[in-house]
Amino acid sequence: MELYKGRPEDVTGRQEREIRVYDFLDKLGIEYERTDHEHADTMEACNEIDAVLNVLICKNLFLCNRQKTEFYLLMMPGDKSFKTKELPPQIGSARLSFAPEEYMVEYLDIHPGAVSVMGLMNDPDNHVRLLVDEDVLKGEYIGCHPCVNTSSLKIKTKDITDTFLKAVHHDMTIVKLTGE
């Protein structure tokens, strides 16, 4: 695996959703580093990618309430465990579960294994509420997929929170997960 600055020179064979991410980041003037790799749809598969990017890849979970009327994208450190019971009292929601794939595709244009904050650019109607574990914000960089799980990006946390989220008209709710 190699580390590249910015978008791929040749986009032949790349998915349109991935190219849209690069176009959007470039339009916003957000700098990023990228590495290409085999399918990485588990946190275990991301360990080697973490080393190349020199950043901890975020674990991104797509959740919903029981009625499937409220949807959440949770960003948390990849090495932290998720306990569902910790989250509902912090966000004023009832029991949460993993949202069905069809909502992930409909609202974020992402498939399981490639869930990423970048998908919010595909949610102009704000169907999805972004939840960010406070520990994610402590790092200088965030590692995420560009809506596909065959590439990974390293982006300054500040560029995500101050520029990207404003451009996609999404706020974030900071949550505290113990991971215990």
Side-chain angles (χ1 to χ4, degrees):
M1 264 185 285
E2 289 185 52
L3 191 60
Y4 302 96
K5 199 148 185 66
R7 71 186 305 126
E9 289 180 25
D10 181 10
V11 294
T12 306
R14 296 196 183 252
Q15 292 184 40
E16 195 262 331
R17 63 174 51 100
E18 177 185 7
I19 296 165
R20 277 197 327 259
V21 170
Y22 302 137
D23 290 344
F24 194 70
L25 292 174
D26 292 348
K27 183 179 100 178
L28 295 175
I30 293 177
E31 293 182 7
Y32 54 95
E33 292 180 282
R34 172 186 54 81
T35 189
D36 298 323
H37 47 75
E38 295 298 316
H39 284 273
D41 51 8
T42 65
M43 289 314 299
E44 292 75 27
C46 290
N47 289 338
E48 187 180 343
I49 299 163
D50 290 356
V52 171
L53 291 176
N54 193 26
V55 67
L56 186 65
I57 299 284
C58 283
K59 184 185 299 184
N60 295 277
L61 305 177
F62 189 58
L63 308 167
C64 66
N65 64 355
R66 185 185 320 231
Q67 300 81 10
K68 297 179 181 69
T69 56
E70 295 177 19
F71 297 88
Y72 306 91
L73 173 60
L74 172 64
M75 290 176 64
M76 60 187 290
D79 59 355
K80 195 182 254 194
S81 350
F82 175 60
K83 307 288 185 216
T84 22
K85 66 179 187 227
E86 287 186 288
L87 205 48
Q90 295 183 60
I91 61 172
S93 178
R95 194 187 73 155
L96 297 175
S97 61
F98 291 98
E101 179 179 356
E102 63 261 22
Y103 293 103
M104 187 183 301
V105 174
E106 180 181 349
Y107 297 143
L108 300 177
D109 192 25
I110 295 179
H111 292 278
V115 180
S116 160
V117 66
M118 293 294 120
L120 294 177
M121 65 183 268
N122 302 315
D123 181 30
D125 298 324
N126 288 70
H127 292 285
V128 180
R129 180 174 166 193
L130 178 62
L131 310 174
V132 181
D133 180 77
E134 64 184 3
D135 289 340
V136 168
L137 301 174
K138 292 177 182 173
E140 184 180 358
Y141 292 93
I142 288 177
C144 64
H145 291 309
C147 296
V148 296
N149 63 4
T150 52
S151 290
S152 295
L153 306 177
K154 176 181 181 177
I155 303 174
K156 283 191 176 182
T157 304
K158 189 173 173 29
D159 286 341
I160 296 288
T161 59
D162 296 356
T163 306
F164 178 80
L165 290 179
K166 283 185 178 127
V168 297
H169 309 290
H170 276 74
D171 295 321
M172 70 176 159
T173 301
I174 300 170
V175 296
K176 180 178 180 145
L177 303 173
T178 63
E180 298 171 0

